[in-house]
Amino acid sequence: MAEDRAPTRLEPLALVAVGGFAGAALRYAVALALPGAFPWGTLAANGLGSLALGVLLYERRFADAVSAETRLVVGTGFLSSFTTYSAFAAETTALAGTGGPTLAAANVAANYAVGIAGVLCGRRVARWVS
Amino acid sequence: MGVVTPLLFVGLGGVAGALARHLLGERVDARTGDTLAVNVLGSLALGAVLAAPVGEGAALALGTGFCGAFTTFSTFAFETVRLFETGERRRALASAAVNLGGALAAVWVGSTVAAAVW
């Protein structure tokens, strides 16, 4: 019995792992491509990732044509690792020290705006393709 | 360190972070706040990693890779929008505020504790 069940348990973990590797590595590459005092890389990753996750999760409500395996590797693995809350929080704290409270507040407002707008745009795209 | 090695460090940390988030999410009901839990715990850990005297490779693997992937902004944004459009507007605003306050406080606690220990 245990041998029969092992693959069904391991396969989701493998899918999440593959997505997690790609998502974290791409987030790092985006941050390298957008240097500067303001954390543009995290902002770009959070906006783009929220848009894509909005498409993926609203597609489930409208059409549900995407397989569970694709959702695991793209949603739980890739997009959830590509976007990040901890780096956003740490960079906001650092900005408050180097750039002042106004720049830190601007970073919070910008990340929340692109995250929520991203999900809403993703919902539109999902409805359009469904 | 070149270009490939940092990407490998971040990627491998990302594997561990994504798996830890996935396994925690399977054990915690979404209504009780699994996204809040990973965002606060991951921010605590990142604050500690950034304040601790770790090498560049460890900072990339643990900080950028593990903590970055363990926490998530996209799932947080999606859940907040869903709460708002299902009529639970107060819960949506509370989610937005508590994730922010919790994560910022956690970064501070993590870095303060790490700085005091080392």
Side-chain angles (χ1 to χ4, degrees):
Chain A
M1 276 307 275
E3 281 168 36
D4 287 342
R5 289 176 59 182
T8 61
R9 176 75 193 129
L10 277 175
E11 194 192 346
L13 295 184
L15 293 170
V16 171
V18 167
F21 186 98
L26 185 63
R27 169 165 41 78
Y28 177 66
V30 169
L32 287 182
L34 299 170
F38 193 81
W40 294 110
T42 301
L43 181 65
N46 284 346
L48 291 172
S50 297
L51 169 70
L53 191 73
V55 175
L56 188 74
L57 296 185
Y58 276 104
E59 190 278 339
R60 184 182 198 173
R61 315 194 81 83
F62 298 144
D64 204 9
V66 176
S67 71
E69 288 79 12
T70 305
R71 288 184 198 290
L72 268 180
V73 68
V74 177
T76 312
F78 179 76
L79 294 173
S80 293
S81 301
F82 181 55
T83 63
T84 178
Y85 207 100
S86 56
F88 154 72
E91 287 160 355
T92 300
T93 305
L95 263 185
T98 57
T102 309
L103 214 51
N107 190 49
V108 171
N111 273 272
Y112 270 55
V114 298
I116 288 164
V119 171
L120 293 173
C121 289
R123 182 176 64 176
R124 252 171 192 273
V125 172
R127 187 169 281 154
W128 181 67
V129 298
S130 296
Chain B
M1 212 195 267
V3 178
V4 176
T5 311
L7 281 173
L8 273 178
F9 275 117
V10 172
L12 291 175
V15 168
L19 286 175
R21 169 168 41 72
H22 177 62
L23 293 173
L24 190 135
E26 284 186 332
R27 278 156 184 76
V28 181
D29 180 11
R31 296 284 302 184
T32 58
D34 56 342
T35 304
L36 175 65
V38 296
N39 284 347
V40 171
L41 285 174
S43 297
L44 184 81
L46 182 60
V49 169
L50 292 175
V54 295
E56 195 187 342
L60 285 172
L62 297 174
T64 311
F66 182 85
C67 296
F70 183 62
T71 62
T72 175
F73 203 96
S74 52
T75 306
F76 154 75
F78 174 77
E79 287 175 353
T80 304
V81 169
R82 280 298 296 161
L83 280 174
F84 198 85
E85 67 183 9
T86 53
E88 300 194 72
R89 298 189 173 191
R90 285 179 61 165
R91 276 181 60 98
L93 292 175
S95 157
V98 173
N99 269 274
L100 181 64
L104 290 177
V107 167
W108 182 80
V109 170
S111 61
T112 304
V113 169
V117 170
W118 281 283

